[in-house]
Amino acid sequence: MERPRLVDSGAFRSAMGDMPGAVTVITSWGPDGAPSGATLSAVVSLSLDPPQMLACFDHASNTLGAIQSHGRFLVHVLAHGQQDIAMTFSGKSPNKFRDIAWESGVLGLPKIEGCVVAVACEVENIIESGDHKIVIGRVIEVDREGALNPIVYARRKMLPFESEGANQ
């Protein structure tokens, strides 16, 4: 049986841009003891029993290296008004935390203040696929603000997510 031809990467990227997703920042501690973080678009819940999440990192991600070294990571769902934080963590600057309000939070991981939710995970598995590595984490703890509205990313824009009952 002949395999179907793969779609053009530009067409695929464009199609995925129409699929809204939470704006997330993943943090951990680097091997040098400094906090590390990255904005990711591919972060989802994986399982309820046991509770698991997955996050997809580019092979060259410094934060991926930090997570591999530390073994734990914190998933932040950013709140409306934190678009600048998402942009800061999407870059390669080594000083991402310099102008960001953060503290040592859940499991002692670097926690960005003012997020909708922070989910602490322990690495269970790392799978290589394509140009990314998929990090599967067992959820250890959840820190939820509840009253904040998250932002979503779609069509190359960060937009507020608001709905009746979103804060209940």
Side-chain angles (χ1 to χ4, degrees), residues 137-168:
R138 181 172 51 96
V139 177
I140 304 296
E141 194 170 332
V142 174
D143 183 5
R144 188 168 179 262
E145 290 291 327
L148 301 171
N149 283 318
I151 48 176
V152 295
Y153 186 75
R155 297 187 175 157
R156 299 180 186 247
K157 293 180 185 167
M158 285 183 260
L159 308 164
F161 175 81
E162 297 178 27
S163 73
E164 292 180 38
N167 298 327
Q168 298 175 0

Side-chain angles (χ1 to χ4, degrees), residues 10-61:
F12 179 67
R13 180 186 301 240
S14 182
M16 291 300 97
D18 287 339
M19 189 168 76
V23 178
T24 61
V25 170
I26 310 298
T27 61
S28 191
W29 292 107
D32 60 356
S36 183
T39 299
L40 297 184
S41 59
V43 177
V44 296
S45 63
L46 175 62
S47 169
L48 289 175
D49 188 17
Q52 294 176 320
M53 294 197 71
L54 71 77
C56 301
F57 292 85
D58 180 273
H59 287 289
S61 168

Side-chain angles (χ1 to χ4, degrees), residues 24-139:
T24 61
V25 170
I26 310 298
T27 61
S28 191
W29 292 107
D32 60 356
S36 183
T39 299
L40 297 184
S41 59
V43 177
V44 296
S45 63
L46 175 62
S47 169
L48 289 175
D49 188 17
Q52 294 176 320
M53 294 197 71
L54 71 77
C56 301
F57 292 85
D58 180 273
H59 287 289
S61 168
N62 292 332
T63 302
L64 172 62
I67 289 169
Q68 289 174 311
S69 171
H70 187 68
R72 291 182 170 171
F73 60 98
L74 195 57
V75 177
H76 303 77
V77 175
L78 298 187
H80 179 61
Q82 292 186 310
Q83 290 86 333
D84 289 346
I85 292 173
M87 295 308 297
T88 297
F89 282 89
S90 69
K92 291 285 188 188
S93 168
N95 301 316
K96 295 177 185 178
F97 287 83
R98 183 179 45 214
D99 297 322
I100 303 294
W102 67 281
E103 62 189 6
S104 181
V106 184
L107 297 179
L109 291 161
K111 181 180 181 263
I112 299 167
E113 294 180 8
C115 294
V116 175
V117 67
V119 181
C121 298
E122 201 164 77
V123 174
E124 282 202 344
N125 199 358
I126 299 177
I127 302 165
E128 194 163 330
S129 186
D131 58 1
H132 278 65
K133 286 190 178 176
I134 302 163
V135 177
I136 298 172
R138 181 172 51 96
V139 177

